[in-house]
Amino acid sequence: MVNENEEHPRAEDGDGETDGTAETDGPAESIVPSPQPGLPSRRPGRLIRKISYGVLGLIGACVVAFAVAYLLTPVPSTQQVSAREQLNVFYYADGKTVIAQEGTNRQPVPLDKVSEAMRQAVISAENRSFYTDPGVSFKGTVRAFWSTVSGTQVQGGSTITQQMVRNYYSGLSQERSVFRKLKEVMVSLKVSRSQDKDWIMEQYLNTIYFGRQSYGVQAAAQAYFDKDAKDLNPAESAYLAATIQQPSLYQKVTKNNREQLKERWQYVVNGMVTAGALTQEEAAKLKFPTPAKQKQKNIYQGQVGYMVNVAKKELHDKHGVSDRRLALGGFKVITTFRKPLMDAAVKAVQDNVPSDMPKEQRVGLSAVDPQTGEVLAFYGGRDYLKEQMSSAFGLRAQAGSGFKPYVLAAALADGKELTDTVDGSTYTAADGTPVRNSHGGSYGYLDLVQMTRDSVNTAYVRLAKEIGNSEVTKMAESMGIPRSQLTANGADKSETYALGVADVSPTQQAGAYGAFANDGVFHAPHVIKSFTNRTGRTKKVEVEGVRVFSKDVAADATYALRQVVTSGTATSAQLYDGRDVAGKTGTTDKGAAVWFNGFIPQMSTSVGIFHTKYPNKPLDLRGYSAYGGVLPAQVWRAFMTEATANMEAEEFPEPSTYYTYQPDPVPADEPTDPDADPSPSATDPASPSTPPDEEEPPPNEEPGPQPENPDEDIVLPDPGPGDPGVDPVPEDIPQEP
């Protein structure tokens, strides 16, 4: 029974609208049809349509977002720093012989300098659709996105363009993030549309890492096969292309990776066949190549580290090359170093200096061309890997009597003549410090030649006092000794300033003495002949000479210094061919530093042996006397003998005032010691006013009785031949008759 008061639902059409034409005379009946058995319901269809609309909307939003991201993502305008880093190459003076290559091993080359086989091998290994794709593999990108989101490792999908973009442009790192990957895709699409494919390939080949510290195909070709990229054959090209996937694993063929590497190599070869780069017959003839043995030698060992470091320092300090520019690399630096002379310097030290000498004692040698200031050779230390500070450039020690030539030059420039005399008798400084000559000898009046030949301290102290220490400082500074070293600790105010209390380096001494050899013109020592930066711009280095004293002063001073070698304290420096040699020995207080600074017209060389930790401790030279005229002069002679082997012998000019040298008799109270270089002793070695005790025999050579006060110096007689208490002088050192 139908309830007339019951409200019935209103009929709706299929679209859900009310049918307004329906009328009833009787009880209302529902016109909604009942579902028929076997017919689908309309409700699931509505759901499917809604899902479809949602998916389409999502896709549309993604497309819009992608388009916006594409438009808003610019192509970076700069390269990554790492993509620009290259090797710095340092050469010997011939411009051909390489000293070292340091920095990132990258040598960019244009695409036409890469073999066609290498290009095809890379395409086969990394991106076979390179020349047809839009720069992005969407399948691979989705795979990479999933890898990033899920954290699982899956096969990579980056195209050559994507890899190039990631390694080449700034602002794109190697981090694993969705944002970075999206940016990489956008930039890759833009670059692929805006740049030629060959350009992309060239940048890729110059930035990709191949293992063996080789960035770029040229560096890799040399590291693996000792050839240029343009000369790579198909087998070698396939090998290098195979290493890109896992460079650290494939950079060396081992028993464990050989089969895996061969499989990867064959995959690349097969791809080259598929692409038509090789025929099946050509591929069948290829043999798996064996790369060259990887070089593991440390490039800085021996003298190399010293050479590279001093060259880099000069680039920075004198030519304004910043550390950042140097780190980017691409510099080709031709140094002033002659390889045969560098080898001769090492040989001279190793053949003459005791190998078991204490490690804190260092030997420095530096040879300079007086006419240019070029440092021709040096000895910086036993091995850069063991002692980094160069004993030729960085380390310094008191000059001892090697400083006296600056006093001599200042006096001659002030108007003195070689025949002028100076009192050489006993001298006591204002503070009570006695200035002593070798073995305590006292002299009468000596001319400038005699006091130089015999290195008479008392006479030189008086000479410096007469002309003024300030004039000596000016002269030494003009000859390349920095004022800061000359005035350190008030050295220039000391009465014994003339005796060499200022610290100097072998290179400074060699450069300064070069002014005597070069007629009074000083050229500052330097180690670079020319350098070319990464843009190809070359700068040649020429140091202008500065006249520091007249030709007459140079000739007179040189004449006095010649007597030091011919009949004074450095007879052991005479060269076997009899050529002209001039120079000055130097030995500091208690034999803590010993020097010989000598020159010929074409070369000035300084040799010093000194302490690094204990500047006032006597040297332990393992049987050699700690005098400048002994071991330093012997090393100097050994080096110069090699250096002058094919060099024409030149003569020094005659002195401006004619001077006939007649050796004066040795004072009655002083024994004859032809190799001893007189110098003062000191009561306070640490004080800058304390004079060096030049050529005073070390305590372990003392055959006489000990003084009551162990700190008081005593004068020793020169022991005769065969005295067991004295270290023997090496047989190859010439002795005065």
Side-chain angles (χ1 to χ4, degrees), residues 557-590:
T558 297
Y559 180 80
L561 294 171
R562 282 178 61 191
Q563 313 315 311
V564 174
V565 178
T566 58
S567 58
T569 61
T571 56
S572 55
Q574 295 172 7
L575 294 178
Y576 299 109
D577 60 5
R579 71 176 65 221
D580 283 357
V581 175
K584 187 69 188 76
T585 53
T587 305
T588 65
D589 183 43
K590 302 298 183 184

XYZ file of all heavy atoms in Angstrom, residues 557-590:
245
model
N 139.224 46.398 -6.946
C 138.720 45.430 -5.969
C 138.991 44.004 -6.442
O 139.395 43.133 -5.651
C 137.226 45.644 -5.735
N 138.776 43.777 -7.739
C 139.014 42.440 -8.286
C 140.480 42.052 -8.163
O 140.809 40.902 -7.841
C 138.566 42.388 -9.757
O 137.156 42.630 -9.828
C 138.877 41.027 -10.373
N 141.371 43.008 -8.372
C 142.797 42.723 -8.241
C 143.132 42.271 -6.818
O 143.861 41.297 -6.611
C 143.629 43.956 -8.599
C 145.108 43.716 -8.478
C 145.812 43.055 -9.483
C 145.806 44.121 -7.340
C 147.173 42.808 -9.362
C 147.164 43.873 -7.208
C 147.845 43.215 -8.224
O 149.186 42.969 -8.094
N 142.579 42.978 -5.834
C 142.828 42.595 -4.445
C 142.261 41.203 -4.152
O 142.884 40.392 -3.452
C 142.211 43.635 -3.508
N 141.067 40.909 -4.705
C 140.429 39.621 -4.460
C 141.121 38.487 -5.218
O 141.038 37.320 -4.806
C 138.946 39.695 -4.843
C 138.094 40.645 -3.973
C 136.699 40.822 -4.560
C 138.002 40.127 -2.531
N 141.827 38.813 -6.279
C 142.613 37.788 -6.978
C 143.741 37.279 -6.083
O 144.088 36.091 -6.121
C 143.198 38.357 -8.271
C 142.215 38.465 -9.414
C 142.893 39.096 -10.623
N 144.010 38.299 -11.105
C 144.895 38.719 -12.009
N 144.797 39.953 -12.504
N 145.875 37.927 -12.405
N 144.324 38.184 -5.294
C 145.444 37.779 -4.433
C 144.997 36.803 -3.344
O 145.799 36.018 -2.837
C 146.094 39.020 -3.788
C 146.386 40.162 -4.745
C 147.026 39.707 -6.053
O 148.000 38.946 -6.061
N 146.484 40.202 -7.171
N 143.706 36.851 -2.993
C 143.172 35.907 -2.009
C 143.317 34.484 -2.530
O 143.611 33.545 -1.777
C 141.692 36.226 -1.706
C 141.082 35.165 -0.787
C 141.554 37.609 -1.093
N 143.119 34.307 -3.840
C 143.166 32.981 -4.449
C 144.594 32.585 -4.829
O 144.991 31.429 -4.661
C 142.240 32.926 -5.690
C 142.323 31.559 -6.375
C 140.802 33.228 -5.287
N 145.359 33.538 -5.313
C 146.707 33.189 -5.769
C 147.679 32.930 -4.627
O 148.533 32.043 -4.715
C 147.276 34.304 -6.666
O 147.291 35.540 -5.941
C 146.445 34.463 -7.926
N 147.522 33.689 -3.515
C 148.503 33.520 -2.439
C 147.941 33.817 -1.060
O 148.694 33.968 -0.108
C 149.704 34.447 -2.688
O 149.281 35.799 -2.774
N 146.612 33.877 -0.950
C 146.016 34.205 0.339
C 145.290 33.040 0.979
O 145.795 31.920 1.034
N 144.090 33.292 1.443
C 143.352 32.294 2.226
C 142.551 31.313 1.393
O 141.900 30.435 1.939
C 142.388 33.007 3.193
O 141.457 33.778 2.428
C 143.140 33.888 4.157
N 142.585 31.456 0.044
C 141.760 30.578 -0.793
C 142.561 29.962 -1.929
O 142.067 29.837 -3.046
C 140.567 31.356 -1.342
N 143.779 29.565 -1.664
C 144.579 28.937 -2.723
C 143.959 27.634 -3.212
O 144.196 27.208 -4.346
C 146.001 28.661 -2.227
O 145.944 27.848 -1.046
C 146.724 29.953 -1.906
N 143.154 27.000 -2.382
C 142.510 25.742 -2.774
C 141.395 25.954 -3.786
O 140.810 24.985 -4.274
C 141.951 25.018 -1.549
O 141.087 25.856 -0.828
N 141.071 27.224 -4.126
C 140.043 27.507 -5.125
C 140.639 27.708 -6.519
O 139.906 27.960 -7.469
C 139.240 28.750 -4.726
N 141.954 27.607 -6.625
C 142.572 27.782 -7.936
C 142.090 26.698 -8.892
O 142.016 25.528 -8.538
C 144.098 27.717 -7.813
C 144.703 28.848 -6.999
C 146.195 28.644 -6.743
O 146.799 27.719 -7.275
N 146.773 29.504 -5.916
N 141.741 27.110 -10.123
C 141.267 26.160 -11.123
C 142.444 25.538 -11.859
O 143.488 26.165 -12.042
C 140.321 26.855 -12.102
C 139.006 27.343 -11.486
C 138.159 28.067 -12.526
C 138.219 26.187 -10.883
N 142.248 24.320 -12.313
C 143.335 23.547 -12.897
C 143.847 24.140 -14.204
O 144.999 23.920 -14.580
C 142.878 22.103 -13.128
C 142.489 21.398 -11.848
C 141.155 21.099 -11.574
C 143.455 21.040 -10.915
C 140.801 20.454 -10.399
C 143.108 20.401 -9.738
C 141.778 20.110 -9.479
O 141.429 19.479 -8.318
N 142.969 24.860 -14.936
C 143.420 25.406 -16.217
C 144.143 26.741 -16.063
O 144.525 27.363 -17.048
C 142.245 25.555 -17.182
C 141.150 26.482 -16.657
O 141.348 27.095 -15.582
O 140.105 26.602 -17.315
N 144.291 27.198 -14.820
C 145.050 28.410 -14.562
C 144.352 29.700 -14.903
O 144.971 30.773 -14.864
N 143.065 29.668 -15.186
C 142.353 30.894 -15.528
C 142.237 31.821 -14.327
O 142.356 31.392 -13.169
C 140.973 30.587 -16.099
C 139.967 30.062 -15.094
C 138.591 29.885 -15.736
N 138.567 28.862 -16.778
C 137.898 29.006 -17.920
N 137.200 30.109 -18.155
N 137.902 28.028 -18.819
N 141.964 33.100 -14.592
C 141.834 34.100 -13.532
C 140.656 33.772 -12.620
O 139.540 33.509 -13.092
C 141.624 35.491 -14.129
C 142.914 36.099 -14.664
O 143.966 35.458 -14.515
O 142.851 37.210 -15.236
N 140.915 33.793 -11.329
C 139.881 33.582 -10.314
C 140.088 34.615 -9.219
O 141.218 34.889 -8.813
C 139.960 32.171 -9.698
C 138.944 32.019 -8.565
C 139.734 31.100 -10.760
N 138.985 35.178 -8.751
C 139.032 36.101 -7.619
C 137.939 35.706 -6.641
O 136.948 35.079 -7.022
C 138.839 37.545 -8.083
N 138.112 36.057 -5.377
C 137.072 35.707 -4.415
C 137.473 36.004 -2.996
O 138.519 36.597 -2.722
N 136.618 35.567 -2.081
C 136.864 35.829 -0.657
C 136.293 34.708 0.175
O 135.159 34.272 -0.027
C 136.243 37.161 -0.238
C 136.603 37.578 1.170
C 138.086 37.947 1.275
C 138.507 38.188 2.723
N 138.648 36.894 3.451
N 137.120 34.240 1.112
C 136.662 33.244 2.079
C 135.875 33.929 3.189
O 135.926 35.139 3.363
C 137.858 32.517 2.702
O 138.760 33.503 3.212
C 138.564 31.646 1.693
N 135.183 33.106 3.964
C 134.472 33.618 5.123
C 134.238 32.513 6.123
O 133.795 31.421 5.752
N 134.578 32.770 7.372
C 134.337 31.802 8.445
C 133.872 32.575 9.661
O 134.502 33.545 10.064
C 135.614 31.013 8.800
O 136.122 30.414 7.625
C 135.322 29.949 9.839
N 132.753 32.165 10.233
C 132.193 32.929 11.345
C 132.660 32.372 12.681
O 133.433 31.414 12.748
C 130.658 32.914 11.283
O 130.193 31.580 11.483
C 130.161 33.429 9.952
N 132.186 32.973 13.737
C 132.600 32.653 15.092
C 132.563 31.153 15.363
O 131.547 30.496 15.143
C 131.678 33.390 16.069
C 132.081 33.158 17.502
O 133.287 33.198 17.782
O 131.188 32.919 18.328
N 133.701 30.620 15.809
C 133.833 29.208 16.171
C 133.595 28.263 14.987
O 133.330 27.077 15.181
C 132.859 28.850 17.301
C 133.029 29.680 18.563
C 134.401 29.494 19.178
C 134.531 30.277 20.482
N 135.892 30.174 21.046
